[in-house]
Amino acid sequence: MQKSLDIFKAEPQSVFDVLCDKKNTGFYMPAYQRPYSWEETHIRDLFSDCENVFRNLLESPDAIIFLGSILSVDDSGATTIFPIAKRQIPTHIKLIIDGQQRLSTLMLIILCLNERLRVLLPNLKKSIETEDNDDALDTLESLREIVSQLIIDTSNFSIETTAEHTVYKYFPKIIRSQVDCWGKDENKAVYESPISQLLITYQRHVIEQSESVTFKPLDLSLMSDSDSAKRVVNNIKEIRKQLNCVQDGFEFKLPDGDIEEKLTINDFLDKETLDLCLDFPIDADLLSVAEKNKKN
């Protein structure tokens, strides 16, 4: 009985713990799972919930959001994987029994965060190049290091392998049974489900953009025109809109048409409760350089 209880155990984990921290873990969606079905309204609701928690966090360190449960089974032995290319699978595999809609959507958000950070980083570097105040320069450089680390942390939408091929050395983090196949070469890798197709397409876009001074957002027309792919594309567009609202000070549009009160960096200044969720303090030095570099 004790062994059975050990199998079915639950523990709270953050999105970072589940998706970003486990670099070599792939998620496998079995054939009996329904296709990805979340729509734009689900995206807006999720961002609205996150916004409410973030505003509450300014006042209380106990503010949390419960995103729901994910039920998975460890299948690192690849006993349920089909089709399979032998010796061409992630080190760790989680078979998703329940929660694939939330898991897939969170992965899309992480991808969009990575894209947004890559787009913004050149502007931050430009501010550093033109700054002549040593104190401000130190603050900007610390911020650049944090953004660069966040780009690395949010890059786990794909799994890097030891393969030599530039493109096929990466596996998408999520694939679906019978329509996708992890593979390290062109003849074996198959990614036809819209989620895995997007993940690998964006990874290839990152590779293509690696030598560019600026980073261009992914051209979503590269996705297939199937109805299921269109749903994913529409959700990516909605996530981008919601991230614009976050970047503009959490100015989300309410159901009645009103706009949420804008938050400014002053609202975050010296808030001890934010130490739990941010990797850097919002202090007077950061406020000063933010005011000076509003355009960037």
Side-chain angles (χ1 to χ4, degrees):
M1 179 64 71
Q2 182 62 42
K3 290 183 178 180
S4 297
L5 292 175
D6 288 341
I7 293 174
F8 298 101
K9 61 181 181 180
E11 57 183 16
Q13 289 186 308
S14 68
V15 174
F16 179 86
D17 292 335
V18 175
L19 293 178
C20 299
D21 195 36
K22 296 177 172 57
K23 298 181 179 180
N24 296 318
T25 298
F27 297 101
Y28 186 73
M29 305 301 173
Y32 58 78
Q33 288 276 12
R34 61 178 176 149
Y36 180 67
S37 61
W38 269 33
E39 299 180 345
E40 294 98 311
T41 181
H42 297 102
I43 303 295
R44 290 191 289 270
D45 289 343
L46 177 58
F47 270 88
S48 178
D49 290 342
C50 292
E51 182 225 357
N52 289 333
V53 170
F54 192 83
R55 288 180 183 269
N56 291 337
L57 193 62
L58 296 177
E59 306 298 332
S60 171
D62 297 327
I64 63 171
I65 179 172
F66 177 64
L67 296 174
S69 60
I70 294 175
L71 180 60
S72 66
V73 175
D74 191 333
D75 188 24
S76 295
T79 57
T80 64
I81 310 302
F82 179 82
I84 185 171
K86 292 184 178 180
R87 297 184 296 278
Q88 298 191 33
I89 57 175
T91 305
H92 304 289
I93 300 172
K94 292 290 186 181
L95 176 70
I96 302 302
I97 306 301
D98 185 50
Q100 68 121 341
Q101 303 291 334
R102 291 184 297 274
L103 184 69
S104 297
T105 301
L106 290 171
M107 185 59 70
L108 297 185
I109 293 174
I110 288 172
L111 182 150
C112 289
L113 280 171
N114 183 272
E115 179 185 68
R116 182 63 56 101
L117 290 167
R118 289 180 185 274
V119 169
L120 293 174
L121 184 59
N123 290 334
L124 178 56
K125 291 180 177 179
K126 181 179 179 181
S127 296
I128 292 174
E129 292 171 356
T130 57
E131 182 58 62
D132 56 8
N133 180 281
D134 289 343
D135 291 336
L137 188 60
D138 289 342
T139 300
L140 285 169
E141 180 57 31
S142 296
L143 185 58
R144 185 203 61 77
E145 291 180 1
I146 291 166
V147 172
S148 296
Q149 183 59 52
L150 287 173
I151 289 175
I152 294 174
D153 290 341
T154 55
S155 291
N156 289 336
F157 48 84
S158 64
I159 302 168
E160 185 173 1
T161 74
T162 57
E164 293 294 331
H165 197 294
T166 303
V167 173
Y168 291 94
K169 71 182 299 180
Y170 294 95
F171 294 153
K173 191 88 166 178
I174 297 173
I175 69 167
R176 179 170 288 275
S177 173
Q178 299 188 20
V179 294
D180 299 322
C181 182
W182 281 308
K184 295 181 181 180
D185 61 69
E186 185 176 5
N187 295 323
K188 295 181 178 179
V190 179
Y191 307 118
E192 295 186 356
S193 69
I195 295 293
S196 65
Q197 182 189 115
L198 174 72
L199 298 180
I200 200 64
T201 299
Y202 179 70
Q203 177 59 56
R204 293 168 182 174
H205 176 68
V206 169
I207 294 172
E208 292 171 357
Q209 293 280 300
S210 61
E211 301 299 325
S212 301
V213 176
T214 58
F215 187 87
K216 296 180 181 180
L218 176 66
D219 180 1
L220 296 176
S221 67
L222 297 174
M223 293 286 289
S224 70
D225 58 358
S226 66
D227 290 341
S228 57
K230 287 179 181 177
R231 174 172 285 116
V232 172
V233 167
N234 289 338
N235 283 355
I236 289 291
K237 291 178 179 178
E238 184 60 39
I239 292 170
R240 286 173 172 174
K241 289 180 183 178
Q242 296 299 312
L243 289 179
N244 285 338
C245 294
V246 172
Q247 190 172 334
D248 291 338
F250 290 85
E251 286 189 313
F252 290 97
K253 188 174 182 180
L254 299 172
D256 60 5
D258 291 338
I259 303 295
E260 286 274 20
E261 181 181 355
K262 181 176 182 177
L263 293 174
T264 69
I265 192 170
N266 288 284
D267 295 309
F268 307 141
L269 187 63
D270 295 327
K271 289 286 186 178
E272 294 182 3
T273 55
L274 294 183
D275 290 344
L276 298 174
C277 62
L278 294 180
D279 294 325
F280 59 96
I282 307 295
D283 55 20
D285 291 335
L286 187 56
L287 174 63
S288 177
V289 297
E291 291 294 330
K292 183 178 179 181
N293 295 276
K294 284 184 176 180
K295 292 183 178 180
N296 293 331

